[in-house]
Amino acid sequence: MQTVGFAGLKGEVVRLKGVFDDGAMANAIDAGVFGGVKDFLSVLIPSRRRLRMADGRVVPSLGMWIGVVWLGDVERRGAFEVFDSNGAWAVLFGKPLLSSFAAVHDYGLDVIHIPAGSGKLVLAN
């Protein structure tokens, strides 16, 4: 699990634990987790997206959060669907944001490399 930072309404950084999933075609925040931090983040925008779970269930999105996201010192603008994951995870960092961060997964070492300034950020998966 990695700490993911989200830009708060008053300039603060809201930190949540997240997992990387390069097979997930969306980024997501669990509805219960979002409920606990919603007063610190911008409001959700409506979303008609439905997400198919690994077990085959189709779950409707409760809305989408859009804002600035940090991994270490690297920041990008991102969008997260909010839905009930049944507590499977707090934050799912999927393919859209992994691509935006130019992340490269080293499957042998099971680490994620992210370009950061003149170097790179290396995160255990």
Side-chain angles (χ1 to χ4, degrees):
M1 275 210 226
Q2 296 299 323
T3 300
V4 180
F6 295 84
L9 289 171
K10 297 179 181 175
E12 73 276 33
V13 177
V14 177
R15 290 176 177 82
L16 298 172
K17 290 293 184 180
V19 295
F20 297 132
D21 185 346
D22 53 10
M25 300 309 289
N27 310 304
I29 302 173
D30 177 74
V33 171
F34 187 82
V37 297
K38 68 180 179 181
D39 293 338
F40 303 100
L41 298 175
S42 57
V43 298
L44 297 179
I45 62 169
S47 173
R48 293 182 175 201
R49 199 151 187 196
R50 298 171 59 82
L51 302 128
R52 182 172 304 280
M53 303 297 101
D55 65 5
R57 290 179 302 124
V58 177
V59 180
S61 174
L62 301 175
M64 183 186 300
W65 180 85
I66 298 174
V68 175
V69 181
W70 285 271
L71 283 176
D73 292 334
V74 183
E75 72 175 63
R76 296 289 183 274
R77 197 151 168 78
F80 288 80
E81 298 289 341
V82 175
F83 73 98
D84 184 4
S85 75
N86 286 328
W89 35 258
V91 173
L92 182 67
F93 211 85
K95 189 177 253 179
L97 265 176
L98 289 169
S99 178
S100 178
F101 275 85
V104 174
H105 191 171
D106 178 332
Y107 290 94
L109 298 175
D110 201 18
V111 295
I112 306 287
H113 298 271
I114 296 174
S118 61
K120 65 182 167 185
L121 181 63
V122 179
L123 304 168
N125 191 23

